[in-house]
Amino acid sequence: MLKEIKYLIFVLVILLFIFFTGKYYFSDEHKKKSYRSYQNIDEKIKLYSKNLPVLENDTQNVIEYVKQTNKKKKKKFNFWKLLDNDK
């Protein structure tokens, strides 16, 4: 009997938690607060972006291409042939 009451209390607590969480999340008050916070974040981003320093582009002609005069032949790896020879 006590075991069933314990399970009933557990289920009741879980259902109440889900109900109150959903009630708060879908309430108009929560939607207004979240919308206001999104607007505040957008305003903060705009203010912060106005104060960002712009750096000069100093990356022109940084890469030097070198021609390779050694034309070494690459060794061909025949993986499947190695497996066939292993038989």
Side-chain angles (χ1 to χ4, degrees):
M1 182 68 180
L2 289 175
K3 197 173 191 180
E4 287 85 13
I5 294 174
K6 184 173 74 171
Y7 287 140
L8 179 67
I9 291 173
F10 286 155
V11 169
L12 186 64
V13 168
I14 291 171
L15 290 176
L16 284 174
F17 175 77
I18 292 171
F19 173 74
F20 285 120
T21 303
K23 184 179 176 183
Y24 173 75
Y25 182 73
F26 293 114
S27 69
D28 289 334
E29 183 181 339
H30 175 71
K31 289 179 184 178
K32 287 179 187 177
K33 285 182 182 179
S34 63
Y35 182 71
R36 286 182 190 147
S37 69
Y38 291 143
Q39 283 182 333
N40 289 340
I41 290 172
D42 288 340
E43 290 173 6
K44 287 179 183 179
I45 288 173
K46 287 178 184 176
L47 286 174
Y48 183 74
S49 64
K50 287 180 182 178
N51 297 330
L52 281 175
V54 178
L55 300 176
E56 276 185 40
N57 183 6
D58 60 349
T59 59
Q60 294 177 0
N61 298 326
V62 173
I63 298 175
E64 294 179 10
Y65 294 101
V66 178
K67 280 189 172 180
Q68 291 185 0
T69 56
N70 295 341
K71 293 189 178 182
K72 294 181 181 177
K73 291 187 178 180
K74 291 184 180 179
K75 184 177 180 182
K76 292 184 181 180
F77 294 102
N78 297 320
F79 180 73
W80 295 112
K81 286 184 181 177
L82 289 173
L83 290 178
D84 290 338
N85 289 339
D86 203 24
K87 288 182 183 178

